[in-house]
Structures are given as structure tokens and as C-alpha cells.
Amino acid sequence: MTGSQEPERRAAGSVSEPQGAIAAQSARASDEDLLGRVAAADPAALESLYERYKGMAFALAHRVTADAVLAEDVLQEAFLSVWRNAARFTPGKASGRTWIMAIVHHRAIDALRRKRPAGELPEGEILPPSLVVPDAWPEVAGRLDREEIERALASIPPDQREAIELAYFGGLTQTEIATHTGAALGTVKSRVRMGLQALRAALLAAATGPPLRPAGS
Amino acid sequence: MSAVRTLTCDQVRELAPFYVLGALEPGQVAAIRAHLPTCRDAHREMAELGGAAAYLAQLPAPLDPPDALGQRIMASVRAELRAGQRDQAAVERLVGSLGPQPRPVATAAPAASPVAAIPPSAPAAATQLPTAPEQLAALAATSRRPRIRPIWPVLGVGLLLILGLAGWGISSQSTIARQAARDQTLRSALLAVAQSGATVVHLSGKGSAAGASGFAVMPPDGPAYLVVTGLSTAPPGSAYEAWVGTAGAMRPAGQVTVGDDGVAILTGMHTSGPAIRLVAISLERSGATAGPSGSLLVSGQASP
């Protein structure tokens, strides 16, 4: 599979019965149903989720770590974490996709921080991924494709976009972003907060309104 | 676990954008996680900002990993499943072999002060204490999730401790209260062992503590515990100190006190920092906690 943006609508491939029937059933199942089956220790359900999200997950892990081998390790750890913690997934708090991708992201940031020289490691333990990342707009989730999200991000001021990308993809803390950009800590805090608020508005607009234009155009 | 900082609602709101982006330092993350479940403020900013941040995961162009990766992941999952099924069957056999155990009977009316000192989740009187088979059944129920490490050594120590605590003198209400609290702590420690992703270290004594054994458990969520039986009471002016070893360093993990029942339980063991490779106990002069000054009386290595 190639990491489709509409994984839940994927059609089953042409495989023989009865495996074909099972595969088709898994292909039609929602992420939440599959996570419920994973919680009941069904490996086939995890395999379906992996097939559904491996492209998106590997791309995210690779973007964060910039290392294909490390990204493979991240995916292995992340999907084992999904396998072990699926019982903690609460439908309604977050979509299955958001939950899985949050785990992948946190694992990737962990890997990135461990890779840095010891002097750059933040103090304290590396915590397991946050399992409560609520979806603000479940009615919007799934409607936007990657290009629309790209346009939404491009529509916010460049300094806010840079701060968000350094935090999310670079794993930098607010202090590290301040050092990296030369901006005051308070400025960094404002940029990230305002940037996320602007991104939220742009995503909502993309889901409901006319196409967005990049900032400054 | 290290002490978690307490945050105000304003501080949580200030950190929220970085929290949802996964860009906080671990101590700040722990502080927010401690704040949110107990706060009367809904902290809607987490949902609003978190919803935007979630879409960032879809930005990189999809990239297929090597086919072999999926096969490796599923092989690991199936191995964990098989190991989990073996552990589950072992626990069920153990529970079945114990049979019903008589419950201790309280002989005095509950006294207010000692019972009030028990944590809210602890039973208020001995008549409500779960029996050993019940505790192990509870453990079995939470052990259904697959794990790869063997849990028999820890289960064995846990069973001995439960039976030992059940036989500990129930001569007064305060004793009952203490027993209930310790029993509850031990139960929590055993349930932590059953938690998916928990790191469990089997501890054994040597030298003057050759008969000591126990375990340390560091679950992904909740406090870490250290439970040891067979240690004699520390001589006056000295104390048992727990240590955790990482790559090239030993750090203090808390003071270990042997209870009246002969069991040493350390709740909230300090486990912050890099991956822990060793857990140990040494006898130190009171107040000297920079590092172990003598030999390690009890120790165990974490599995890689």
C-alpha cells in the first residue's frame, strides 16, 4: 500500500477465499473497530492497521529522524506499542488514526532525542507517547487531503510555521527553538500558539470554504 | 519516579501548544499529565490546539517501508501473543492449585483514625481483604495482554508475600489498617508487573543478605515499586538505600525500610533518567546518599 489519505475506504485486493473474505472485512472495518480487535489480541487486526497506515507512519518517522534505518525502528516500536496499548484507546477522545500517528510521532521524537549527543538530551526520562490527544473536529477529520493540509500550513505567517515545524518535526523544545531561531523565548511561545490557532482556522476554512492562498501571496 | 512538579491552570495553558506538538521536556509532560485528570477546568485549549497539531502527521508524502518490516513486526507480535498465552495459563494453574482461602475476621469495631489513614482505594477492614487466590485471579485477569518476559519469578515472590501478609498478626485495628495498606500496595505492585510494557527486575541477595529476594517494577504509567523479602532490619544509624544503574552511573532511588512483617516495600522508586540497567540495594550510614559506599547486598539486572 502507499499510505492513502482515505485508508478506511480502501477496497480489498483480489485474494483467495476465505482469506479474501477476512481481508475484505478488515478493509471495510473502521480504525476504531480494528483497535478494538487489537485490544482483544487479534494480530490480523493489527496487520490491517499496519497496512493501512504504514506509508503515512513511515513518512512521518523518516521526516522526523531523517534516517531510514531509525525510521524502521520507530515503526516497529510504535506498532508494538499499538499492540500492547490498544485497550487504552478510547473512541470519541481521538480518532484511531490520530491515536496511532501520535504514537508514531512520539516514538520518532524519542528516537531523535536519543540520537543527539548526550549534552543535547533534555533532562529526565523519555516518556511513552501521550495517549490522550483529542480530535477537535471529528467532523473535519478525514475530509482533508495532504495537499489541503499543506496549503493550510502555507497560509500561516512564515515565522509561526517555522516554529511549529521545528517543534513538531524537529523535536525541539521551546528553549531550543529560541536558541535555533535567535528569537526571545516569549516570542517563540507566541509564535507557536498563534500559529496553531491560525492553522486550526485555516484547516476549518479548507474543510468548509474556498481554496487557501499561501501567506504573503 | 521523580517528584512531579505541580502546575497551575495558567501554566498548563501556557505550555499547551508545545504539549500538543510533543515538544516539551519530559518533566513538563509529566506535570501536565498529573494536572489534567484532576483539574476542574476542561482545558479546551488542548483539544483546539491538539486538533490542529494532529494534522501535521499527514504532511510528509507517503513513503512505503521495506516489506520485511511488516513481517518483523508481526513476528514480534505473534511471539508476544504466544508468551502471553503461556503466562496466562501458568497463572490460572497457580490460582487453581491454591483453592479457596479463609478470610481473616475483624474482631473490633473500626476505629476512625487508623482507617482514615488508609488510601481511599484500600479496604477498610480485614473482612474486605481479598484472598491470595483472588489477588492472583485479578493479576491473571490483567495478564491477558501478551508480554515476552517470564513472570514466574515475580509471581512466586508475590505469592509468598501475599501469604506472608495474610498470616501477619491481626491483633488490633491499627494493625489491620497497616496490613490493609501494605496489602494494597503489594497488590498495586503486582498489577504493575502485569502492565504491558512494564520493566521488571528480579532481585536476589548475596553476602549477608543471601536469603533476600524480590523484584522491582517500572511500569510505563504509575509509580515504580521495589519489593524485597528476607532483609533483616537495618542497624541503628544506618539505612537501606535503593539504587538504579544506568550506563556508567548509579543514582539513588529511595530509602528502603523493612516493615514489621519483614517485607521491604518502596513505593515511588525514583526511576527518571536514561534507561535503567540495574537495580540494587546497599546498606548506608543514614544521610549518606551520593552513591553506594559498600557492596550491593541485593541486585538484579534489567533485561535488554
Side-chain angles (χ1 to χ4, degrees):
Chain A
M1 101 165 221
T2 56
S4 162
Q5 297 300 312
E6 296 180 305
E8 289 176 24
R9 289 173 228 167
R10 181 181 317 286
S14 55
V15 286
S16 61
E17 297 288 347
Q19 289 84 354
I22 295 170
Q25 193 177 18
S26 290
R28 284 193 300 269
S30 69
D31 293 345
E32 292 70 28
D33 288 343
L34 288 173
L35 282 169
R37 284 168 49 193
V38 172
D42 178 357
L46 184 79
E47 197 163 13
S48 295
L49 284 170
Y50 176 76
E51 288 299 321
R52 197 171 274 185
Y53 288 116
K54 64 182 183 185
M56 190 187 292
F58 191 63
L60 177 60
H62 193 270
R63 169 78 179 266
V64 170
T65 62
D67 182 327
V69 175
L70 203 52
E72 284 188 41
D73 291 345
V74 165
L75 245 62
Q76 175 144 3
E77 288 177 10
F79 277 91
L80 284 175
S81 185
V82 170
W83 170 249
R84 292 166 184 159
N85 294 293
R88 297 166 65 189
F89 169 72
T90 308
K93 274 193 172 180
S95 71
R97 174 173 59 187
T98 295
W99 190 75
I100 291 168
M101 295 306 291
I103 290 175
V104 172
H105 178 248
H106 281 265
R107 290 285 179 185
I109 295 295
D110 283 359
L112 182 65
R113 288 180 175 176
R114 288 177 193 278
K115 197 173 81 164
R116 288 180 192 160
E120 293 182 32
L121 277 174
E123 288 297 320
E125 63 186 316
I126 302 294
L127 292 170
S130 167
L131 301 180
V132 186
V133 182
D135 272 344
W137 329 293
E139 73 279 8
V140 174
R143 289 190 200 168
L144 299 174
D145 61 26
R146 191 169 64 82
E147 287 71 25
E148 288 172 313
I149 298 167
E150 268 180 351
R151 281 197 292 275
L153 185 64
S155 73
I156 71 175
D159 53 356
Q160 295 175 10
R161 185 167 67 238
E162 179 191 34
I164 287 174
E165 289 185 331
L166 285 171
Y168 188 79
F169 293 115
L172 298 188
T173 64
Q174 50 192 353
T175 310
E176 290 168 333
I177 294 171
T179 304
H180 182 87
T181 59
L185 184 58
T187 305
V188 170
K189 290 177 180 177
S190 298
R191 284 177 182 171
V192 172
R193 176 178 297 279
M194 293 170 66
L196 282 175
Q197 288 169 340
L199 179 62
R200 177 178 186 269
L203 288 167
L204 280 170
T208 57
L212 296 160
R213 288 181 305 168
S217 64
Chain B
M1 293 275 178
S2 55
V4 175
R5 212 173 95 205
T6 303
L7 296 177
T8 64
C9 284
D10 283 343
Q11 289 172 319
V12 169
R13 278 189 278 273
E14 186 181 326
L15 292 171
F18 291 89
Y19 178 78
V20 301
L21 290 169
L24 286 181
E25 293 179 5
Q28 294 170 312
V29 173
I32 289 179
R33 285 182 179 178
H35 177 95
L36 291 178
T38 58
C39 186
R40 297 175 70 179
D41 187 320
H43 281 290
R44 293 180 62 181
E45 71 276 4
M46 289 290 180
E48 291 172 2
L49 300 176
Y55 284 94
L56 297 172
Q58 299 177 48
L59 276 174
L63 187 63
D64 271 347
D67 289 341
L69 178 60
Q71 293 160 11
R72 282 208 305 276
I73 292 172
M74 293 315 299
S76 298
V77 162
R78 292 194 170 94
E80 286 204 8
L81 186 59
R82 285 193 296 274
Q85 287 166 342
R86 279 199 301 272
D87 284 350
Q88 170 72 3
V91 172
E92 285 172 354
R93 278 199 302 277
L94 176 58
V95 172
S97 69
L98 286 170
Q101 178 177 313
R103 294 168 184 240
V105 177
T107 54
S113 56
V115 173
I118 303 173
S121 56
T127 49
Q128 293 175 296
L129 290 177
T131 62
E134 284 171 348
Q135 296 211 26
L136 282 166
L139 177 59
T142 57
S143 298
R144 285 187 300 239
R145 301 297 297 137
R147 285 163 292 106
I148 42 178
R149 65 177 180 280
I151 61 170
W152 263 110
V154 171
L155 280 179
V157 173
L159 176 61
L160 290 173
L161 292 174
I162 289 169
L163 296 175
L165 285 172
W168 186 34
I170 307 175
S171 56
S172 68
Q173 192 60 38
S174 62
T175 306
I176 292 169
R178 283 205 308 277
Q179 180 195 357
R182 288 176 68 76
D183 203 31
Q184 181 66 21
T185 303
L186 179 58
R187 176 184 165 83
S188 299
L190 287 173
L191 291 175
V193 170
Q195 198 178 120
S196 295
T199 299
V200 182
V201 179
H202 187 212
L203 302 170
S204 58
K206 62 181 181 182
S208 60
S213 66
F215 64 92
V217 55
M218 292 156 276
D221 288 314
Y225 296 89
L226 183 149
V227 180
V228 174
T229 184
L231 274 180
S232 55
T233 306
S238 61
Y240 290 112
E241 288 287 343
W243 307 94
V244 290
T246 57
M250 292 285 280
R251 292 181 287 107
Q255 199 170 89
V256 181
T257 304
V258 180
D260 295 342
D261 53 358
V263 181
I265 304 175
L266 170 58
T267 306
M269 187 171 65
H270 306 320
T271 57
S272 62
I276 289 169
R277 298 180 179 179
L278 176 79
V279 177
I281 297 174
S282 67
L283 187 62
E284 304 292 334
R285 277 187 295 186
S286 297
T289 57
S293 59
S295 60
L296 301 176
L297 297 176
V298 176
S299 64
Q301 289 189 333
S303 300

